């Protein structure tokens, strides 16, 4: 808890509002005396400057504050005065000013955009009859422009809350559902009268006591619980990695990482070390060329304390901060060592792995398409699953995704499988005339299929129920069970007996198959069309089928229906889907697990359901299209129950609403498609539809996150993480099936071997019986009554029996049918009872 009252801080900030020519030291002194810990910022920027002497820095280091940036903040007036004078001397003008959030005893909400500001205001005024302006930001920020002068942030502000409650946990920054960011530590914010090129920071509101925002306190405490669970999961993941490396040794890529520190790789490509560490202790480096800030990137290595860095073989990522990295590195913030070197060389990852000798150059490229870190996703094909940090970054990338994970955890369900069903529910509310653009071929449907993968009793039903509650605010959409191929068609259109006109039943539906056995049982029926119809439905193609009676053959035209499908899949029961890989069935599904090893031990508070009103607002529900008001039931024998306002005929749409897709994504899709023509693509057979699948998921994420379905690069990048998780789960299912195949082959081999042994024994027994009979015949002759030596006995029995004579004689002696008679150079053998 802070030592000074929020009234002192509020008064100190209010005293800044009259300034117009930048900060003065008198104002800074007032801030420090009110309890703010101040740090100085380079004039016109947000870049902190550390003007402490070596002696001052060494003194601070002994108290754990030897770093730069935030570590230079202080509320000592005498030190601030010295630092201020040094800054004015260095820059020839007064510096900008910021405050250290944690040391000042603050919680700060940073809203970058006007809608984020309004979201915080609505939360602060919940239950009060007051305009939003009554809950103004403490500080209104000037916004931000890109290099071309376009405003990328505007209408934002900082809401300051003085901590006046006991035992408030310090948590990492997190975002509110509306997009604003909450910070309690490791953060500084600029305050008035600081000025940047875009304009000044101005005081427009008050410093509020945190106790006045119980909603914010609850969110902070919930985040603390999530952080604790995350810390435990990371520690376990690190321990597992260490144990694996100790027992199995490093993988080839890990060994390469160990042997190539970031300093070596970066210097080779003209990056420059700044000599300064980031807060985690890893070096800050500057990219080639001119940059406004020397902090172009942070090169994370072994021993890094950054929570968001996942170490593999002493290799954390290179985290790019600059907006102007080398062109080879544009479009991505984090690069592993292997990815960095491959990109700088202009190589694909496969080419890099082969060039470095990390894989055999005869390995099928498709088998290593995702082997960036040399790790396998289970016993199936080599697939790079998400690291813990990549998964954390995915869920933290939007307020809606954070809500999905928290809601799933509150119900003890897997966030991934819940997300799969949520995406189905969202897509099912989008009319079928809304399509993806014809980037390659024709316009593409948003229809989406998801496999929820888990053993019996591992949460498929729980995931569906959780997702339905999470999306309870959505309008009506029919939910149907799986049936035949004809049944899929009749979900959307039927014909009355004697008619050749297809009547519309509905234009959107969610189909649920709790067990994959139901789907595969239908597929295995003679002349079944279910898998073929599903493949066409995923693509939004015509769903017509032939029947001798045309009145029983409804025609459902292309893009006249919306279908979302989720199927419960037990890994060992998925064989029929993979056997249809040539037809393209497994490729059209997302594969998401119903188990989540990162689920916290402690109970997670349940947040409110998702706010998806924007979907209904954009595409209002028409009960005559969704099937909520049916012309007739699915049973075509029933009579009409509700009159239509149109003729009810199902027709192909004549106008379409085409979603927008960012140009870089279009370029990537076209480039990948051309690679197939040039036979340079490395996709495996199971990834033939990966680009379109990724585009569908990106559009669904856009809708989930409050967008219009238009796909940005951010949505495209997040969709890639979903597909990487899907690839890994699918590979694990393949591993289970391969393990079944191996065990079955071993069992067959064992049965065959046992049969061969039995057959051999039977053959041997027959030969022995025949030889025994021959020995009795030979030795039963009167002239051999005194017996025969073994050599002569062998000659007498004949060639057909000689191979078994030794063991037959031994057996007959042991059985008491022959007796050995000593004499001469070799003993003789005669029948018992003869002389």
């Amino acid at each position: 808890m802070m030592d000074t009252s929020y009234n002192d801080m509020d008064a100190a900030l209010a005293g800044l509002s009259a300034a117009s020519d930048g900060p003065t030291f008198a104002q800074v002194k007032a801030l420090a005396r009110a309890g703010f810990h101040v740090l100085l910022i380079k004039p016109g920027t947000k870049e902190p400057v550390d003007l402490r002497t070596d002696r001052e820095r060494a003194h601070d280091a002994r108290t754990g504050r030897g770093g730069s940036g935030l570590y230079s903040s202080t509320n000592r007036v005498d030190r601030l005065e010295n630092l201020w004078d040094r800054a004015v001397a260095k820059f020839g003008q007064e510096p900008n000013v910021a405050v250290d959030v944690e040391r000042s005893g603050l919680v700060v909400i940073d809203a970058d955009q006007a809608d984020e500001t309004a979201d915080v205001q609505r939360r602060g005024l919940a239950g009060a009859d007051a305009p939003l302006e009554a809950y103004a930001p403490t500080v209104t920020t000037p916004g931000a422009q890109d290099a071309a002068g376009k405003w990328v942030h505007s209408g934002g502000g900082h809401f300051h809350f003085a901590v006046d409650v006991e035992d408030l946990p310090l948590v990492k920054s997190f975002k509110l559902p509306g997009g604003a960011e909450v910070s309690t530590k490791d953060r500084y914010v600029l305050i008035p009268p600081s000025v940047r090129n875009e304009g000044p920071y101005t005081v427009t509101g008050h410093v509020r006591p945190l106790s006045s925002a119980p909603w914010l306190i609850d969110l902070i405490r919930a985040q603390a619980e999530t952080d604790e669970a995350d810390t435990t999961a990371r520690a376990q993941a690190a321990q597992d990695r260490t144990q694996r490396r100790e027992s199995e040794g490093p993988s080839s890529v890990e060994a390469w990482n160990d042997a190539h520190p970031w300093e070596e790789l970066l210097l080779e490509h003209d990056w420059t070390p700044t000599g300064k560490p980031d807060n985690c202790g890893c070096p800050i480096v500057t990219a080639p060329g001119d940059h406004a800030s020397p902090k172009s990137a942070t090169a994370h290595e072994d021993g890094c304390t950054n929570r968001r860095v996942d170490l593999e073989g002493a290799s954390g990522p290179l985290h790019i901060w600059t907006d102007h990295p080398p062109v080879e590195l544009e479009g991505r913030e984090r690069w592993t060592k292997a990815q960095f070197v491959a990109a700088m060389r202009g190589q694909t990852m496969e080419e890099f792995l082969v060039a470095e000798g990390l894989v055999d150059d005869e390995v099928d490229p498709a088998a290593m398409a995702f082997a960036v870190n040399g790790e396998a996703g289970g016993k199936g094909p080599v697939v790079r699953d998400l690291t813990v940090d990549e998964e954390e970054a995915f869920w933290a990338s939007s307020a809606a995704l954070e809500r999905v994970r928290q809601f799933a955890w509150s119900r003890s369900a897997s966030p991934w499988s819940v997300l799969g069903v949520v995406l189905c529910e969202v897509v099912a509310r989008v009319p079928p005339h809304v399509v993806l653009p014809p980037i390659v071929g024709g316009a593409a449907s948003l229809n989406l299929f998801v496999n929820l993968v888990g053993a019996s009793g591992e949460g498929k039903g729980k995931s569906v129920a959780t997702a339905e509650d999470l999306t309870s605010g959505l309008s009506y959409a029919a939910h149907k069970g799986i049936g035949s191929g004809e049944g899929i068609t009749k979900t959307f259109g039927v014909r009355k007996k004697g008619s050749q006109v297809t009547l519309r039943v509905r234009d959107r539906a969610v189909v649920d198959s709790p067990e994959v056995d139901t789907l595969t049982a239908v597929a295995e029926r003679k002349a079944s069309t279910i898998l073929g119809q599903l493949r066409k439905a995923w693509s939004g193609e015509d769903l017509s089928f032939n029947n001798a009676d045309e009145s029983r053959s409804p025609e459902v035209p292309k893009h006249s229906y919306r279908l979302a499908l989720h199927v419960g899949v037990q890994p060992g029961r998925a064989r029929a889907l993979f056997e249809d890989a040539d037809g393209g069935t497994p490729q059209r599904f997302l594969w998401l697990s119903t188990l989540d090893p990162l689920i916290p031990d402690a109970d997670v508070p349940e947040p409110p359901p998702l706010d998806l009103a924007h979907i209904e607002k954009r595409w209002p529900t028409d009960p005559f299209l969704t099937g909520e008001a049916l012309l007739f039931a699915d049973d075509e024998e029933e009579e009409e129950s509700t009159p239509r306002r149109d003729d009810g005929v199902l027709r192909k749409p004549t106008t379409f609403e085409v979603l927008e897709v960012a140009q870089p994504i279009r370029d990537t899709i076209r480039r990948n498609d051309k690679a197939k023509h040039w036979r340079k693509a490395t996709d495996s057979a199971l990834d033939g539809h990966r680009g379109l699948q990724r585009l569908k998921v990106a559009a669904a994420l856009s809708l989930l996150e409050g967008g219009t379905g238009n796909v940005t690069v951010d949505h495209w990048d997040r969709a890639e993480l979903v597909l990487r998780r899907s690839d890994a789960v699918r590979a694990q299912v393949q591993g289970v099936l391969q393990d079944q195949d191996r065990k079955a082959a071993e069992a067959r081999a064992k049965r065959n071997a046992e049969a061969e042994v039995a057959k051999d024994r039977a053959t041997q027994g027959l030969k022995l019986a025949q030889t025994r009979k021959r020995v009795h015949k030979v030795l039963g002759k009167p002239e051999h009554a005194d017996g025969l030596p073994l050599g002569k006995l062998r000659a007498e029995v004949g060639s057909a029996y000689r191979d078994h004579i030794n063991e037959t004689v031994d057996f007959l002696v042991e059985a008491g049918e022959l007796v050995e008679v000593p004499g001469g150079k070799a003993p003789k053998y005669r029948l018992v009872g003869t002389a």
Side-chain angles (χ1 to χ4, degrees):
M1 182 181 294
M2 58 183 293
D3 296 329
T4 55
S5 75
Y6 73 91
N7 289 319
D8 294 334
M9 304 184 91
D10 191 46
L13 273 183
L16 302 177
S17 59
S20 58
D21 299 323
T24 66
F25 181 68
Q27 294 168 326
V28 171
K29 181 166 63 175
L31 291 172
R33 287 176 173 170
F36 288 104
H37 282 246
V38 179
L39 62 154
L40 305 185
I41 305 295
K42 183 178 178 180
T45 74
K46 295 193 294 185
E47 181 185 338
V49 290
D50 187 355
L51 298 174
R52 292 174 295 174
T53 63
D54 291 342
R55 182 176 180 181
E56 289 169 339
R57 192 176 292 107
H59 174 272
D60 289 348
R62 289 192 292 272
T63 63
R65 297 185 61 79
S68 58
L70 275 174
Y71 290 98
S72 65
S73 69
T74 182
N75 65 346
R76 284 178 45 188
V77 173
D78 57 338
R79 172 176 282 195
L80 274 173
E81 186 171 12
N82 290 331
L83 294 175
W84 184 270
D85 291 341
R86 294 169 197 166
V88 172
K90 179 179 177 66
F91 300 114
Q93 65 181 104
E94 289 79 6
N96 278 343
V97 179
V99 296
D100 182 327
V101 170
E102 178 184 349
R103 299 189 80 200
S104 299
L106 295 172
V107 171
V108 174
I109 302 179
D110 181 2
D112 286 333
Q113 308 286 14
D115 58 343
E116 296 176 4
T117 301
D119 176 71
V120 178
Q121 291 172 315
R122 281 191 290 270
R123 293 174 183 275
L125 293 171
D129 184 14
L132 294 183
E133 293 75 15
Y135 205 83
T138 309
V139 172
T140 294
T141 56
Q145 294 173 302
D146 62 16
K150 179 181 177 181
W151 286 98
V152 292
H153 294 161
S154 63
H158 298 156
F159 296 81
H160 292 232
F161 298 86
V163 178
D164 63 340
V165 297
E166 298 290 345
D167 302 323
L168 185 77
L170 293 173
V171 300
K172 63 182 181 181
S173 297
F174 65 96
K175 289 189 175 182
L176 298 175
E181 187 172 22
V182 178
S183 298
T184 68
K185 66 173 184 175
D186 299 335
R187 180 73 178 268
Y188 65 87
V189 291
L190 269 67
I191 57 173
S194 296
V195 179
R196 290 193 291 110
N197 291 335
E198 291 87 348
Y201 290 75
T202 56
V203 176
T204 52
H206 297 284
V207 177
R208 300 173 175 87
L210 184 61
S211 57
S212 69
W215 57 272
L216 181 55
I217 298 172
D218 291 343
L219 287 174
I220 293 172
R221 296 195 188 282
Q223 183 65 39
E225 295 178 1
T226 300
D227 288 353
E228 183 178 0
D230 178 66
T231 299
T232 302
R234 291 171 190 274
Q236 183 61 52
Q239 181 180 344
D240 292 344
R241 281 195 299 272
T242 300
Q243 291 176 348
R244 175 180 56 76
R245 283 171 61 92
E246 290 176 351
S247 61
E248 303 175 10
S251 69
S252 59
V253 176
E254 287 176 331
W256 187 90
N257 289 337
D258 294 342
H260 295 81
W262 270 119
E263 181 180 8
E264 167 195 315
L265 301 177
L266 292 169
L267 287 175
E268 181 181 347
H269 295 284
D270 300 324
W271 288 67
T272 306
T274 64
K276 297 180 179 180
D278 210 334
N279 292 334
C280 60
C282 294
I284 296 172
V285 292
T286 306
D290 296 327
H291 298 276
S293 168
K295 188 177 181 179
S296 297
T298 303
H300 297 286
E301 287 280 15
D302 189 18
C304 176
T305 59
N306 189 317
R307 294 171 54 86
R308 293 185 177 273
V309 174
D310 187 63
L311 297 173
E312 282 286 352
S315 175
L318 178 73
H319 190 108
I320 304 290
W321 300 108
T322 178
D323 293 331
H324 304 288
V327 292
E328 296 89 347
L329 306 182
E330 290 179 347
R332 178 186 292 177
E333 287 187 349
R334 291 160 63 123
W335 295 81
T336 68
K337 291 177 179 177
Q339 290 170 337
F340 172 82
V341 173
M344 297 307 296
R345 292 178 181 173
Q347 294 175 323
T348 65
M349 186 52 58
E350 292 75 26
E351 290 168 344
F352 165 79
L353 295 172
V354 171
E356 293 295 321
L358 303 179
V359 296
D360 191 330
D361 60 3
E362 295 183 357
V363 172
D364 178 7
M368 63 179 188
F370 304 101
V372 178
N373 279 343
E375 294 299 319
K379 295 183 179 180
V382 177
V383 172
R384 179 177 177 255
D385 197 356
L386 301 183
T387 64
V388 172
D389 284 307
E390 286 174 326
E391 181 166 343
E392 171 62 28
F394 171 77
W395 293 113
S397 63
S398 76
L401 290 174
E402 286 188 314
R403 179 75 60 85
V404 169
R405 181 170 66 166
Q406 185 178 349
F407 200 97
W409 278 354
S410 74
R411 299 285 186 91
S412 191
S414 163
W416 288 105
S417 55
V418 169
L419 175 63
V421 181
V422 165
L423 294 182
C424 284
E425 294 289 340
V426 168
V427 164
R429 270 57 176 198
V430 181
H433 73 275
V434 179
V435 296
L436 294 164
I439 301 172
V440 174
S445 172
L446 289 175
N447 293 352
L448 189 67
F449 295 176
V450 178
N451 281 331
L452 308 178
V453 179
S456 179
E458 286 187 349
K460 192 271 179 181
K462 178 168 56 180
S463 299
V464 173
T466 300
E468 290 177 349
D469 287 349
L470 184 55
T471 57
S472 57
L474 286 172
S475 58
Y476 173 86
H479 287 65
K480 310 290 292 182
I482 197 72
S484 63
E486 292 84 351
I488 292 292
T489 304
K490 292 180 179 179
T491 298
F492 303 104
V494 297
R495 282 181 175 175
K496 286 291 192 176
K497 281 187 176 180
S499 172
Q500 295 183 2
V501 175
T502 301
L503 297 175
R504 182 178 61 238
V505 176
R506 57 179 61 82
D507 73 343
R508 62 199 81 168
V510 180
V511 172
D512 178 17
S513 180
E515 298 291 342
V516 72
D517 288 350
T518 305
L519 175 59
T520 55
V522 174
E524 290 168 357
R525 296 175 189 167
K526 185 177 180 180
S528 173
T529 61
I530 182 65
L531 295 184
Q533 289 293 91
L534 288 178
R535 290 194 298 271
K536 291 194 294 182
W538 185 83
S539 302
E541 299 174 6
D542 293 344
L543 292 185
S544 308
F545 58 90
N546 294 325
N547 193 298
D549 181 359
E550 288 193 9
S551 69
R552 302 181 65 83
S553 303
E555 296 179 354
V556 178
K558 186 175 185 177
H559 296 313
S560 66
Y561 60 94
R562 172 75 66 235
L563 175 63
L565 167 67
H566 45 81
V567 180
V569 175
Q570 296 180 34
R573 317 285 292 190
R575 187 173 304 279
L577 295 180
F578 286 99
E579 288 176 348
D580 198 48
D582 289 343
T585 298
Q587 299 94 306
R588 287 169 163 83
F589 282 87
L590 285 176
W591 299 71
L592 300 174
S593 176
T594 59
L595 294 180
D596 177 24
L598 300 181
I599 192 168
D601 290 334
D603 289 341
V604 174
E606 181 176 309
L610 290 165
D611 181 5
L612 300 171
H614 59 282
I615 298 177
E616 177 70 18
K617 183 178 180 180
R618 180 164 185 180
W619 298 294
T621 300
D622 183 341
F624 288 94
L625 295 177
T626 62
E628 187 175 9
L630 295 177
L631 174 65
F632 40 77
D634 290 342
D635 183 351
E636 62 188 64
E637 300 296 330
E638 291 191 17
E639 296 297 325
E640 296 183 8
S641 58
T642 305
R644 286 190 181 273
R645 57 174 173 267
D646 59 18
D647 61 6
V649 176
L650 180 55
R651 298 182 176 90
K652 182 177 180 178
T654 56
T655 58
F656 293 94
E657 182 176 343
V658 182
L659 299 177
E660 296 178 7
V661 174
Q663 189 60 46
I665 302 172
R666 291 170 174 263
D667 295 341
T668 298
I669 293 172
R670 290 197 180 100
R671 185 168 56 248
N672 291 343
D673 190 68
K674 289 177 181 178
K676 296 176 183 177
H677 291 284
W678 300 332
R679 298 185 180 276
K680 293 183 180 180
T682 58
D683 289 346
S684 69
L686 284 175
D687 294 308
H689 296 287
R690 200 172 194 276
L692 179 53
Q693 183 77 285
R694 183 176 174 184
L695 196 57
K696 287 173 181 253
V697 173
L701 289 173
S702 171
L703 291 165
L704 174 66
E705 295 167 6
T708 60
N710 295 335
V711 180
T712 66
V713 173
D714 285 342
H715 299 128
W716 178 252
D717 289 343
R718 285 199 278 276
E720 172 61 17
L721 297 180
V722 176
L723 262 67
R724 280 206 9 229
R725 172 46 56 90
S726 173
D727 292 334
V729 174
R730 187 182 67 194
Q732 290 166 358
V733 174
Q734 288 179 274
V736 171
L737 297 176
Q738 291 170 1
D739 194 48
Q740 287 181 348
D741 291 340
R742 178 184 57 78
K743 291 179 179 179
E746 290 175 353
R748 285 194 302 270
K750 183 178 180 180
R751 290 194 300 270
N752 292 339
E754 291 174 346
E756 287 297 319
V757 170
K759 180 179 178 180
D760 184 63
R761 287 176 177 172
T763 301
Q764 291 291 96
L766 178 61
K767 290 291 186 181
L768 289 172
Q770 292 172 339
T771 305
R772 173 177 176 270
K773 184 176 180 181
R774 183 64 179 166
V775 168
H776 272 273
K777 184 174 181 179
V778 170
L779 294 179
K781 295 178 180 180
E783 63 268 30
H784 299 150
D786 292 334
L788 291 172
L790 187 60
K792 289 187 177 182
L793 179 59
R794 182 180 290 108
E796 288 289 335
V797 298
S799 60
Y801 306 101
R802 288 172 185 168
D803 291 344
H804 304 281
I805 189 66
N806 287 9
E807 56 186 317
T808 301
V809 168
D810 290 341
F811 172 77
L812 293 177
V813 170
E814 189 175 343
E817 297 182 26
L818 291 185
V819 64
E820 183 178 327
V821 182
K825 294 182 179 181
K828 297 180 179 180
Y829 295 91
R830 65 175 173 80
L831 293 174
V832 173
T834 63

